[in-house]
Amino acid sequence: MAQESELNFKATELRLGLPGTDECEDMISSVKNNNKRSLSETVEDNASKDITSPETPPAPKAQIIGWPPVRSYRKNNLQTKKTESETGIFVKVSMDGAPYLRKIDLKIYNGYAELLKALETMFKFTIGEYSEREGYKGSEYAPAYEDKDGDLMLVGDVPWNMFMTSCKKLRIMKGSEARGLGCGV
Amino acid sequence: MDPDPNKPEELPSNSANNSHGSTHPPSPFPDEVIEKVLSYINSHKDRSSFSLVRKDWYNAERWSRSRLFIGNCYSVTPEIVARRFPRIKSVTLKGKPRFSDFNMLDWGANVHSWLVMFAKVYPFLEELRLKRMTVSDESLELLAKSFPSFKALSLSSCDGFSDSGLKAVASHCRNLTELDIQDSISEDISGTWLSSFPENFATLEVLNFASLNSEISFDALERLVSRCKSLRVLKVNESITLDQLQRLLVLAPQLVELGTGSFLQELTPRQYEDIESAFSNCTSLRVLSGLWEATSLYLPLLYGACFGLTFLNLSDVALQSGEFAKLPVHCPNLRRLWVIDTVEDKGLEAIGSSCPLLEELRVFPANPYELDPRLGVTERGFLAVSQGCRKLRYVLYFCRRMTNAAVITIVQNCPNFTHFRLCIMNPHQPDHLTNEPMDEAFGAVVKTCHKLQRLSVSGLLTDLTFEYIGKYAKNLETLSVAFAGSSDWGMQCVLDGSPKLRKLEIRDCPFGNTALLFGHGKYEMMRSLWMSACNVTIKGCTILAKEMPRLNVEVIKDEDSDDNQADKVYVYRTVAGPRQDAPPFVLTL
């Protein structure tokens, strides 16, 4: 089979790379040479690829310029979404009176309830009940955040998705100072 | 054979003031009859044919033509056009070769010199439609100030302009009915142009700024929409939210085509109801697009408007198969559907079951560089659509695996294909089940689909595919080939057959000078030939250029290629001679 003969060849090959770093390099170099290869070589190569990657997705190949023929504005649209879903939304969290800040990834929480629980655990305090009219009643602290415009806002007033995209920094304020931030509109 | 309408043809009569000369019998029809007949002929191809019959018909035609179509802006010069056609009101101009879309080539096709000429000779210009051209702010400003009757501007896949150019158009074109910026990218990030429409301006019927990234003033947009009672096409960009959209729909329930903004927003139940009823009230809605970030939570908002939809464009929202599969049953009148391959085969099966009137399907890849064959759609989905949608005639299908057997069945189900564009994304990929080349698949397409006008091939292909194409594809006009073929013979088969071929684009194929030169007679009957990453050399191109003076043979060299290699070749017929504005990396031979 094509694959076996390839492996034997490699065993005797003099290379500078570390042993066991074969697979990725093979795939990348095979793509680069794609244009110039003869038909029979590429057929074999494709056949052996099916054998070598039954369960695991293949290593990402080097990209061929302009292929597949997808318009760049389409690619940008979907790829930025992809990177957004892969990287987190990291924001600093400060607490009045605490000596240093923490950093959390908003992406890992599914909503305000989870976020507040996490903050309570992280800073060892309790947050009171939230209501639109009165903010966080019955606690020493209230969670606030700085939004895109630089304004200090009470956490919980806007829908979660909107909060995730507009929150720049979190600040856990002393309840007495927070009262002024109360009711929403 | 389709003669270039802008070539000044050689006519039998050779004396200018002797239209009924001794070498010519008098015209069989009086002038009034000719003019009346001409008023019914709108297709530029028909008008060209008409103009070739006799000199007086040529003159009658040129004086009465009001719509100009130029498929390749370099095939003719503004001066030649201005001399031949004195009374033009509408111009369509196309620029860059299509494969340049995917390579980001800064190659030319600037509209400015055309506008300068139009400003001089066509003061009553009303419409300008550009595709793949570079349009600067200066050009847009010139446009805005030069044509008092100007009505419609369409910029498809153009670039080079920014906010200030659009501002000029908005402020000065008092009679504007159409501003359509499809797929064009503006460089400036500010969106202030929309606020530049005068407060009493109310004639707009078409507004499309879906592809522009900038945030615009919603207030200005709302006021504009409420003033323009004839608005029938509105396509906004992603910056417009759902609740803003609701307000627009309440102001414009007469819309026929709608492109929404972002479709993801936390809504109160009241807001949800309001949006739902706004959609239900748009009883004229036939075309829907946008829907950025929509999920299964929000799609039901559309159900009230889906029954009458004929075109649904979901190519900006990557719906999962479960989310999407519930939608087709609400859209039984769909003729055209664009989706992303995240809907998977299951989603396509839903289309096959629910949309019997479907004529066009486009499936775009969410992750074009991922090669896992388990991702996206396969031959199963395509088969399912072909079984349920027998009227299918246009398909663009990106997939990672395909079989000959599936394609053969598909074209038996749907023999009326006019456009068959299959892109198997992994180059040289054979039949997924048999490991054979995909020759028989495309053979079946050309043998069965007699009306085929456009074909894109992919997968592992030998010269046999091209033998089939040359032999059977009698109506083929556009052919796109990538990573295919075994030798020059393949390309020669196509050049020898396919009598109606107009555009041939080839990349990464083993075709060389022999094939290139074989077609030398053919290229003058075509609009253009594109060859990149093939085995063509500069020597070969030079020979072609020498043999065929009415062709422009342009070579675009890559940075680190060896001297004799012709990396990208663009050949096109022209009466304009070599172009003056070619950038330094383009050699005209």
Side-chain angles (χ1 to χ4, degrees):
Chain A
M1 304 222 49
Q3 189 197 356
E4 269 183 22
S5 57
E6 270 183 42
L7 285 176
N8 286 337
F9 180 73
K10 276 184 183 30
T12 55
E13 201 182 351
L14 292 175
R15 297 166 69 240
L16 290 177
L18 293 170
T21 53
D22 276 345
E23 198 147 346
C24 280
E25 286 170 27
D26 267 3
M27 293 189 126
I28 290 172
S29 65
S30 79
V31 167
K32 277 196 190 137
N33 289 327
N34 238 343
N35 315 349
K36 312 284 185 328
R37 288 184 121 189
S38 75
L39 200 60
S40 50
E41 281 175 37
T42 33
V43 172
E44 273 183 89
D45 195 52
N46 282 320
S48 70
K49 268 186 227 130
D50 283 340
I51 300 166
T52 51
S53 50
E55 297 308 331
T56 56
K61 288 187 170 182
Q63 291 174 14
I64 305 170
I65 296 176
W67 185 264
V70 180
R71 299 282 307 282
S72 49
Y73 77 86
R74 276 190 201 287
K75 281 187 294 201
N76 292 339
N77 210 3
L78 296 165
Q79 275 182 349
T80 43
K81 288 202 165 38
K82 193 164 184 258
T83 43
E84 269 170 27
S85 66
E86 283 168 356
T87 66
I89 303 179
F90 283 93
V91 295
K92 292 183 192 167
V93 190
S94 64
M95 175 149 154
D96 290 355
Y100 55 82
L101 281 59
R102 303 298 302 272
K103 213 163 200 186
I104 58 170
D105 178 2
L106 291 179
K107 267 265 156 72
I108 66 179
Y109 306 110
N110 284 325
Y112 286 120
E114 278 187 29
L115 170 68
L116 296 176
K117 198 111 193 90
L119 291 176
E120 283 181 325
T121 314
M122 197 181 260
F123 289 94
K124 311 259 181 303
F125 70 106
T126 41
I127 296 177
E129 275 227 15
Y130 170 78
S131 73
E132 227 185 88
R133 278 190 71 219
E134 299 181 53
Y136 290 91
K137 248 183 91 161
S139 65
E140 250 194 284
Y141 292 97
Y145 69 100
E146 196 180 296
D147 73 358
K148 275 192 293 209
D149 301 322
D151 295 324
L152 195 58
M153 312 281 295
L154 189 70
V155 169
D157 285 341
V158 301
W160 173 252
N161 284 322
M162 201 186 284
F163 165 75
M164 273 216 291
T165 52
S166 58
C167 172
K168 291 287 156 252
K169 246 200 290 201
L170 276 165
R171 180 180 156 197
I172 302 174
M173 298 174 70
K174 281 238 161 57
S176 48
E177 282 186 50
R179 221 139 280 145
L181 287 180
C183 2
V185 174
Chain B
M1 185 173 127
D2 171 24
D4 183 336
N6 297 314
K7 268 177 148 174
E9 301 293 344
E10 259 113 43
L11 295 156
S13 160
N14 50 14
S15 88
N17 54 5
N18 196 11
S19 55
H20 304 290
S22 51
T23 49
H24 246 340
S27 171
F29 308 110
D31 288 346
E32 304 77 50
V33 173
I34 296 178
E35 278 161 26
K36 190 69 184 173
V37 168
L38 272 171
S39 69
Y40 292 115
I41 304 180
N42 292 317
S43 134
H44 63 275
K45 285 184 190 163
D46 290 341
R47 280 182 158 261
S48 282
S49 308
F50 188 97
S51 70
L52 289 175
V53 174
R54 358 171 346 125
K55 183 153 188 176
D56 48 351
W57 286 27
Y58 173 89
N59 280 324
E61 196 281 312
R62 64 181 266 263
W63 276 97
S64 64
R65 190 185 296 213
S66 65
R67 311 183 71 90
L68 198 59
F69 173 87
I70 300 172
N72 173 2
C73 64
Y74 287 116
S75 65
V76 69
T77 66
E79 290 75 27
I80 294 174
V81 167
R83 265 204 305 272
R84 179 170 173 186
F85 298 111
R87 288 197 195 149
I88 295 296
K89 288 211 178 135
S90 159
V91 176
T92 301
L93 255 180
K94 296 189 184 181
K96 301 175 211 189
R98 197 182 74 96
F99 268 6
S100 68
D101 276 345
F102 318 119
N103 280 3
M104 314 255 269
L105 199 56
D106 184 16
W107 171 83
N110 194 310
V111 77
H112 200 74
S113 56
W114 290 92
L115 279 173
V116 167
M117 180 56 72
F118 294 157
K120 263 205 316 225
V121 294
Y122 304 141
F124 302 114
L125 191 69
E126 292 178 3
E127 287 183 14
L128 184 64
R129 296 176 193 285
L130 303 177
K131 186 165 185 178
R132 289 194 198 98
M133 295 201 70
T134 297
V135 184
S136 66
D137 287 335
E138 200 194 335
S139 298
L140 289 177
E141 281 152 25
L142 179 63
L143 175 90
K145 303 207 175 121
S146 311
F147 309 109
S149 324
F150 196 76
K151 292 207 180 110
L153 178 64
S154 167
L155 302 175
S156 171
S157 308
C158 295
D159 63 357
F161 59 93
S162 75
D163 198 60
S164 70
L166 293 176
K167 248 194 220 174
V169 173
S171 337
H172 294 111
C173 297
R174 298 289 155 146
N175 297 308
L176 201 65
T177 59
E178 179 177 338
L179 179 59
D180 188 341
I181 311 170
Q182 332 168 30
D183 304 345
S184 295
I185 305 177
S186 166
E187 277 144 27
D188 197 302
I189 35 176
S190 130
T192 54
W193 60 274
L194 195 114
S195 314
S196 304
F197 285 106
E199 278 305 317
N200 60 356
F201 170 77
T203 50
L204 213 53
E205 295 169 26
V206 174
L207 178 62
N208 176 1
F209 59 95
S211 66
L212 297 186
N213 285 329
S214 42
E215 287 218 14
I216 47 102
S217 153
F218 177 70
D219 272 345
L221 178 61
E222 198 176 19
R223 287 199 303 272
L224 183 66
V225 170
S226 77
R227 292 197 301 270
C228 298
K229 301 293 178 202
S230 307
L231 195 66
R232 50 184 174 80
V233 176
L234 177 63
K235 298 185 185 175
V236 301
N237 69 7
E238 211 176 337
S239 73
I240 300 297
T241 65
L242 259 177
D243 64 86
Q244 287 175 335
L245 181 70
Q246 186 263 342
R247 285 155 67 176
L248 295 174
L249 290 180
V250 163
L251 290 169
Q254 76 281 4
L255 285 178
V256 174
E257 296 188 22
L258 172 67
T260 75
S262 164
F263 223 69
L264 179 70
Q265 185 182 355
E266 288 224 6
L267 299 170
T268 66
R270 179 62 195 277
Q271 282 174 315
Y272 196 96
E273 267 174 32
D274 284 346
I275 297 173
E276 224 177 10
S277 78
F279 270 106
S280 302
N281 284 338
C282 292
T283 52
S284 307
L285 207 59
R286 299 287 168 263
V287 175
L288 188 58
S289 59
L291 301 167
W292 280 283
E293 299 176 306
T295 64
S296 50
L297 269 182
Y298 299 95
L299 289 177
L301 286 168
L302 302 173
Y303 289 170
C306 284
F307 187 79
L309 282 186
T310 56
F311 179 17
L312 181 56
N313 178 354
L314 297 170
S315 64
D316 286 313
V317 50
L319 293 171
Q320 301 305 309
S321 70
E323 294 177 308
F324 170 77
K326 299 184 205 131
L327 190 52
V329 77
H330 294 269
C331 311
N333 289 306
L334 227 46
R335 305 285 196 281
R336 301 172 67 193
L337 177 62
W338 295 15
V339 291
I340 296 180
D341 66 357
T342 44
V343 304
E344 295 177 351
D345 290 332
K346 189 159 155 242
L348 298 182
E349 281 157 24
I351 297 169
S353 322
S354 311
C355 306
L357 302 177
L358 199 70
E359 294 172 15
E360 175 179 327
L361 175 67
R362 302 195 197 198
V363 182
F364 297 96
N367 301 300
Y369 303 121
E370 286 301 318
L371 293 164
D372 186 349
R374 296 167 299 175
L375 288 178
V377 294
T378 71
E379 70 275 7
R380 273 181 45 219
F382 198 171
L383 263 168
V385 176
S386 76
Q387 266 148 21
C389 311
R390 298 300 172 114
K391 297 193 175 186
L392 209 56
R393 52 159 204 87
Y394 191 123
V395 78
L396 170 61
Y397 200 80
F398 282 87
C399 59
R400 291 174 181 83
R401 47 177 258 199
M402 187 52 61
T403 66
N404 287 304
V407 176
I408 292 169
T409 308
I410 286 163
V411 294
Q412 276 166 2
N413 290 339
C414 305
N416 294 317
F417 276 113
T418 56
H419 296 67
F420 193 92
R421 304 166 62 188
L422 177 61
C423 182
I424 303 167
M425 288 189 276
N426 194 6
H428 306 291
Q429 174 115 331
D431 179 314
H432 176 77
L433 289 177
T434 66
N435 256 346
E436 282 169 2
M438 295 293 296
D439 295 332
E440 293 311 316
F442 293 103
V445 173
V446 294
K447 285 178 201 165
T448 318
C449 306
H450 303 297
K451 302 185 209 163
L452 196 69
Q453 288 171 262
R454 182 170 179 182
L455 179 65
S456 301
V457 300
S458 58
L460 181 66
L461 299 174
T462 70
D463 285 342
L464 185 56
T465 297
F466 302 103
E467 281 184 38
Y468 286 144
I469 293 173
K471 188 166 172 202
Y472 294 103
K474 293 303 173 199
N475 286 312
L476 193 65
E477 295 179 19
T478 304
L479 178 63
S480 305
V481 185
F483 303 103
S486 333
S487 70
D488 284 331
W489 170 247
M491 186 169 160
Q492 285 170 227
C493 288
V494 171
L495 292 169
D496 207 16
S498 303
K500 294 202 181 166
L501 197 64
R502 288 188 306 118
K503 289 185 282 185
L504 181 55
E505 23 178 62
I506 302 174
R507 64 165 290 172
D508 292 276
C509 296
F511 304 140
N513 292 333
T514 311
L516 177 71
L517 293 168
F518 182 84
H520 66 315
K522 181 114 175 168
Y523 305 135
E524 258 192 25
M525 305 204 300
M526 291 168 48
R527 186 186 294 174
S528 62
L529 165 73
W530 168 280
M531 283 179 83
S532 58
C534 297
N535 296 337
V536 173
T537 66
I538 302 226
K539 277 212 183 87
C541 294
T542 312
I543 297 174
L544 180 65
K546 259 216 193 105
E547 279 178 21
M548 308 297 303
R550 287 203 291 197
L551 294 178
N552 272 356
V553 179
E554 294 186 12
V555 174
I556 301 155
K557 286 198 66 59
D558 287 341
E559 277 174 2
D560 48 348
S561 72
D562 81 58
D563 279 339
N564 198 26
Q565 215 172 334
D567 307 300
K568 298 186 175 87
V569 180
Y570 187 45
V571 179
Y572 56 92
R573 68 178 177 189
T574 180
V575 293
R579 57 182 176 116
Q580 307 300 323
D581 63 350
F585 53 82
V586 177
L587 309 169
T588 306
L589 299 171

